[in-house]
Amino acid sequence: MLSTAKSLAVAIGLACAWSLPPAFAADAPRIDCAQATSTVEINFCADKDYQVADKALNDAYAKALADVRKRGGEKPYDAKSYEDAFRNAQRAWLAYRDAECKDLVAQEWSGGTGTTAAVLGCLTRKTAERTKELLDRGDNP
């Protein structure tokens, strides 16, 4: 329960930061992620890395799904059956990733100040690994 509340608080805080008026955002200091030292900076940079990884995953998934839809064959190896299996696998993977990172990693950190960065780091690593898996499938998912 506590990890969900913290995740929500971080999400709200980041959403507020991203919704700043352009004039204020231009005056805000830039965060150099290579030099991040405070918890806020580290969390900001970890979230930024995760957003990049998540976009790459979504792009790879869309490409792999398009490849799946080209598949021919008779049931149960036709495009529709393959797409259903592919979508089910992705949903199961997302559930695993989220349980591993948002639940288990958060428990390991016991809600300490490094929890958010650890959770985001886990999400980023697992997302990058899945992206590679999807890209490695090539035109034959």
Side-chain angles (χ1 to χ4, degrees):
M1 208 49 138
L2 185 57
S3 65
T4 303
K6 281 188 177 191
S7 296
L8 181 59
V10 168
I12 290 170
L14 290 171
C16 290
W18 286 324
S19 64
L20 294 173
F24 182 80
D27 293 337
R30 300 254 180 229
I31 295 175
D32 179 0
C33 289
Q35 301 296 318
T37 56
S38 74
T39 302
V40 171
E41 292 171 333
I42 292 167
N43 289 347
F44 173 84
C45 295
D47 184 67
K48 192 172 155 184
D49 290 344
Y50 171 63
Q51 296 304 321
V52 169
D54 191 53
K55 181 177 181 340
L57 174 67
N58 288 328
D59 293 346
Y61 179 78
K63 182 191 177 313
L65 188 57
D67 292 341
V68 164
R69 290 177 175 153
K70 294 177 192 172
R71 187 175 178 99
E74 300 291 322
K75 262 192 170 296
Y77 305 107
D78 60 302
K80 173 76 171 97
S81 298
Y82 204 163
E83 181 176 342
D84 290 346
F86 186 72
R87 286 180 185 277
N88 287 338
Q90 186 67 10
R91 285 185 195 110
W93 178 83
L94 286 167
Y96 155 74
R97 181 202 63 187
D98 290 350
E100 179 78 14
C101 297
K102 293 178 180 180
D103 298 335
L104 185 58
V105 169
Q107 286 294 320
E108 291 169 348
W109 279 81
S110 304
T113 58
T115 302
T116 300
V119 167
L120 288 166
C122 177
L123 289 168
T124 300
R125 280 188 306 281
K126 298 242 180 259
T127 299
E129 290 166 5
R130 180 62 175 169
T131 299
K132 183 177 179 333
E133 289 173 6
L134 293 176
L135 292 173
D136 285 348
R137 289 174 181 260
D139 290 329
N140 297 311

